[in-house]
């Protein structure tokens, strides 16, 4: 938790051991998730071929190393909404660089895949706004509002925007209750028998006080029903991070390029622990001179299925 955050806010009114997911439209849930951009699709296919082609010794070595490393736990942040949408494509109508996020969840002790886990991801849009919390402006961090700013937002400096570091910043602090019904860039999906889960979204933007990141939770021992996912425990709460090079490249692409918010770098961030993959740093594939075509992000998440890590 960053020292710039305020005291814990109102407790979220939810039971973390009794979770229920509202299933999105059957068509959306059943359809295979698409890879954002032609480049990401090619990279995704290439990755599969490479693995099948045969670096078995290398794969075994990497897997063995991953067995001994738990992925870092972090704070939940103030803008979590409990498993509101069961879906892989969380983009809705948000503009931005297509991002395909492919995660593999493993037991960090045995290195076996964790199948049928419920994985949540949520993040801000290209201009730093979280769905459900647009009234906080820039994810609560003083980021610039979009050009179609919601009514009630002054055109000059908002009186409620802090001049220093953000009070909550999307990385820590107490939970805030949603102020709108929007739910873009949020979703929950299950891991397959090999521990993989894939989401289609857009490259996140940034807001005051935080580097570019994606929030995540992993839930185990629950039950998948017609209504969604119920019960179980939260074994991991973390965040995924992006190297500076792709972030700088994204800043040249609209709508990211229209942001006037001062950006916090990966090295400056107070949530990222500087430990690379263990700390949630994503491996990215994209065209160096044309990131707008799309990005493929991958990471193996080592968890302790017996632990409870709610991040609150």
């Amino acid at each position: 938790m960053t020292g710039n955050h305020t005291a814990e806010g109102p407790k979220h009114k939810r039971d973390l051991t009794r979770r229920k997911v509202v299933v999105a439209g059957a068509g959306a849930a059943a359809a295979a998730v698409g890879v954002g951009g032609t480049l990401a699709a090619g990279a995704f296919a290439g990755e599969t071929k490479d693995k099948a082609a045969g670096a078995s010794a290398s794969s075994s070595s990497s897997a063995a190393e991953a067995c001994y490393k738990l992925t870092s736990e972090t704070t939940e942040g103030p803008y979590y909404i409990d498993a509101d949408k069961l879906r892989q494509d969380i983009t809705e109508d948000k503009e931005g660089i297509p991002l395909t996020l492919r995660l593999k969840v493993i037991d960090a002790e045995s290195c076996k895949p964790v199948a049928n886990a419920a994985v949540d991801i949520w993040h801000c849009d290209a201009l730093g706004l979280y769905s459900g919390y647009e009234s906080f402006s820039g994810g609560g961090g003083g980021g610039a509002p979009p050009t179609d700013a919601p009514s009630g937002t002054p055109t000059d400096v908002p009186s409620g925007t802090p001049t220093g570091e953000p009070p909550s910043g999307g990385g820590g602090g107490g939970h805030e209750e949603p102020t709108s019904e929007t739910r873009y860039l949020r979703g929950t999906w299950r891991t397959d028998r090999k521990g993989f889960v894939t989401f289609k979204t857009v490259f996140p933007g940034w807001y005051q006080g935080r580097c570019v990141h994606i929030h995540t939770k992993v839930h185990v021992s629950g039950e998948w029903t017609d209504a969604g996912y119920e019960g179980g425990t939260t074994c991991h709460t973390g965040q995924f991070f992006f190297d500076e090079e792709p972030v700088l490249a994204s800043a040249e692409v609209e709508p990211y390029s229209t942001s006037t918010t001062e950006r916090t770098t990966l090295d400056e961030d107070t949530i990222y622990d500087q430990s690379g993959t263990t700390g949630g740093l994503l491996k990215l594939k994209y065209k160096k001179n044309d990131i707008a075509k799309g990005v493929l992000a991958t990471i193996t998440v080592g968890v302790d299925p017996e632990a409870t890590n709610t991040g609150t």
Side-chain angles (χ1 to χ4, degrees):
M1 177 183 297
T2 136
N4 298 318
H5 296 163
T6 56
E8 185 169 318
K11 186 177 180 182
H12 187 16
K13 299 176 182 178
R14 68 181 186 279
D15 183 352
L16 287 171
T17 63
R18 292 296 302 170
R19 307 175 65 257
K20 186 172 182 179
V21 178
V22 178
V23 180
V33 63
V35 175
T38 55
L39 167 89
F44 203 55
E47 181 187 46
T48 304
K49 290 180 181 178
D50 290 342
K51 289 181 179 178
S56 58
S58 174
S59 297
S60 298
S61 174
S62 298
E65 182 181 357
C67 287
Y68 300 99
K69 292 184 178 179
L70 279 166
T71 301
S72 301
E73 300 295 327
T74 67
T75 58
E76 175 186 285
Y79 305 133
Y80 177 56
I81 299 176
D82 193 10
D84 192 70
K85 294 287 186 180
L86 185 63
R87 57 187 181 179
Q88 289 177 278
D89 186 343
I90 66 173
T91 309
E92 292 193 15
D93 60 349
K94 301 307 292 183
E95 295 183 355
I97 297 166
L99 174 69
T100 296
L101 178 65
R102 190 182 193 222
L103 313 174
K104 183 176 184 180
V105 182
I106 64 167
D107 182 320
E109 182 175 349
S110 69
C111 215
K112 293 181 179 179
V114 179
N116 292 318
V119 178
D120 301 328
I121 68 165
W122 70 102
H123 62 85
C124 69
D125 69 6
L127 291 174
L129 297 178
Y130 280 88
S131 61
Y133 299 92
E134 293 87 350
S135 64
F136 285 88
S137 183
T147 53
D148 57 342
S151 59
T153 300
T155 54
D156 56 355
V157 178
S159 58
T161 301
T163 55
E165 292 297 319
S168 50
H175 180 84
E176 298 286 350
E177 292 299 321
T179 57
S180 78
E181 297 299 318
T182 58
R183 295 296 183 266
Y184 52 81
L185 307 181
R186 299 177 181 274
T188 301
W189 199 250
R190 76 168 75 191
T191 56
D192 64 19
R193 62 186 181 85
K194 294 184 178 180
F196 286 104
V197 62
T198 301
F199 292 95
K200 180 181 178 183
T201 183
V202 297
F203 200 96
W206 57 89
Y207 49 92
Q208 185 182 345
R210 287 303 315 280
C211 67
V212 175
H213 63 282
I214 294 174
H215 292 267
T216 189
K217 281 181 178 284
V218 179
H219 312 274
V220 295
S221 303
E223 181 181 2
W224 293 93
T225 69
D226 290 341
Y229 186 80
E230 300 180 357
T233 58
T234 304
C235 70
H236 174 68
T237 298
Q239 296 180 28
F240 301 127
F241 299 93
F242 297 76
D243 278 318
E244 281 296 295
E245 185 177 351
V247 173
L248 286 170
S250 74
E252 301 299 317
V253 179
E254 288 189 356
Y256 309 87
S257 60
T258 66
S259 174
T260 59
T261 304
E262 182 178 353
R263 191 174 62 80
T264 297
T265 67
L266 186 66
D267 290 341
E268 296 168 338
D269 193 77
T270 55
I271 300 295
Y272 175 57
D273 64 10
Q274 311 298 323
S275 64
T277 302
T278 302
L281 189 64
L282 294 163
K283 179 180 180 180
L284 305 180
K285 290 185 178 181
Y286 61 96
K287 282 189 176 180
K288 298 295 182 181
N289 297 322
D290 196 1
I291 194 172
K293 291 289 186 181
V295 178
L296 171 66
T298 59
I299 193 170
T300 296
V301 182
V303 304
D304 178 359
E306 302 301 318
T308 298
N309 292 300
T310 63
T312 56

